[in-house]
Amino acid sequence: MTVAALATAAAAILGTADFLGGLAARRSRLIAVVLVSQLGGLLVTGLLLSLLPGTPSAPALLWGMASGVTGATAIALFYRSLAAGVMSVVAPATGATSMAVPVLIGLALGERPSPLAIGGIAAGLAAVLLVGQDGRRSRTGSLTGPLVGGILAGAGFGGSYTLLKLAPADAGLWPLLGGRACSVLLVALVAVAARRSPRPAPGSLAVTLLAGVLDATGIALYLLAVQQGMLSLVAPLVSLYPASTLLLARYVLGERLRPVQITGVACALGAIVLISVS
C-alpha cells in the first residue's frame, strides 16, 4: 500500500474506534473504558508485531512509551468529551488540533511538502473545521467543556503522532508495544490510586474491546505510513478520522448532517486526492 493509502485507512479505522469508544464511555465508567480498550489494543499489537516484525531497541521502546502515555491521556480526555458532548462537534475540534501539531513540528524539522500537498493540508484543515459546524448544545447545556477537552485531546494525539515519528525507522511496530504496555500500566495505577473499579458496565465489554482493537490497528497503519513518508503529510490524512466518526454518528445515532458538514466531507476527500498525487 502507498503512504497515502495507509494513512487514509488509518483515519477510517481510528474514526470508527473513536465512535465506539464514545459509545462505551456513555455506558460505563471512563477509567474502565480506557483500561479495557488499552488492553484490547495491547493484545492486537502483540499479534501484529508477529506479522510485521522490526528491530527492537531502547530508543524505539522509549519513544513508544512516551507516545503511549501521551496517547492514553488524550484518549481519556477525548472519550470523556465525546460522552458529554455531541460527537459531530467534538471530534472535528480534536481532529483540527491533532493535525496542526505534527504539521507545525514537521515544518520546523525541515520538511517541505510540495505546493499540491500544501493545498491538501489546507483542504484537510477546512474539512475537520467544517464537519464540526453543528451548532447544537451538549447534554450538559454548553459546548465549552466538551470542546476544551476535545482540543486538549487533539494536542495530545498530535504529540503522540510526533513521538512515534521520532522512533527509529527500522523499529517496525515495537514502539507501539512499548506505548501500549506503558499506557495499560499507567491507567491501572490511576484506577488503583483513585479506588475506581476497572470493570466495564454490563453490555459494554464487547464494544470497548473493539474500540481498543481498532484504535491499535489504526495507529499501527499510521506508524507504517509515517516511517515511509513525511510527518507533515501523513498526519493530516490520519487527522481526517472525524469524517468517519461523523458518518457513523449520522447513521447509527441519527445525528443529522448539515450542508456545511457535507461540504466538510467533500473537502476531506479532496485532501486525500491532493496529498495522494503530490
Side-chain angles (χ1 to χ4, degrees):
M1 295 178 72
T2 66
V3 170
L6 285 170
T8 303
I13 293 172
L14 287 172
T16 304
D18 289 341
F19 173 78
L20 294 174
L23 284 183
R26 292 181 176 182
R27 303 173 182 174
S28 188
R29 293 187 181 91
L30 179 63
I31 194 72
V33 172
V34 176
L35 180 58
V36 172
S37 65
Q38 292 295 295
L39 281 171
L42 179 61
L43 291 175
V44 77
T45 299
L47 292 175
L48 291 174
L49 190 63
S50 65
L51 300 175
L52 300 167
T55 303
S57 64
L61 293 175
L62 289 173
W63 284 119
M65 290 170 67
S67 174
V69 171
T70 307
T73 304
I75 286 174
L77 286 169
F78 189 47
Y79 285 176
R80 181 178 181 180
S81 299
L82 288 177
V86 178
M87 285 192 183
S88 54
V89 174
V90 173
T94 304
T97 313
S98 65
M99 177 188 294
V101 170
V103 167
L104 292 174
I105 293 176
L107 294 175
L109 292 175
E111 294 182 353
R112 295 295 180 263
S114 68
L116 201 61
I118 292 174
I121 294 171
L125 181 59
V128 293
L129 292 175
L130 288 173
V131 295
Q133 301 304 307
D134 185 281
R136 288 179 291 171
R137 292 185 174 271
S138 71
R139 292 184 295 164
T140 59
S142 173
L143 287 173
T144 303
L147 274 181
V148 170
I151 291 170
L152 291 175
F157 287 135
S160 181
Y161 295 158
T162 303
L163 290 167
L164 285 177
K165 173 64 175 178
L166 296 175
D170 63 350
L173 299 184
W174 280 99
L176 295 188
L177 186 66
R180 289 289 166 172
C182 187
S183 63
V184 167
L185 179 60
L186 174 65
V187 177
L189 289 175
V190 170
V192 171
R195 298 183 179 179
R196 297 292 182 89
S197 172
R199 181 178 299 177
S204 66
L205 177 61
V207 68
T208 305
L209 281 173
L210 183 56
V213 167
L214 291 177
D215 180 69
T217 303
I219 294 297
L221 291 175
Y222 161 77
L223 182 57
L224 293 176
V226 83
Q227 286 173 345
Q228 305 171 47
M230 289 191 291
L231 175 67
S232 56
L233 293 184
V234 174
L237 286 179
V238 174
S239 296
L240 295 175
Y241 64 83
S244 55
T245 305
L246 176 71
L247 292 174
L248 286 169
R250 165 67 183 91
Y251 290 107
V252 177
L253 300 181
E255 296 184 2
R256 292 184 176 276
L257 294 181
R258 300 174 64 205
V260 67
Q261 293 175 304
I262 296 174
T263 303
V265 174
C267 284
L269 296 175
I272 293 169
V273 171
L274 288 172
I275 294 177
S276 298
V277 302
S278 64

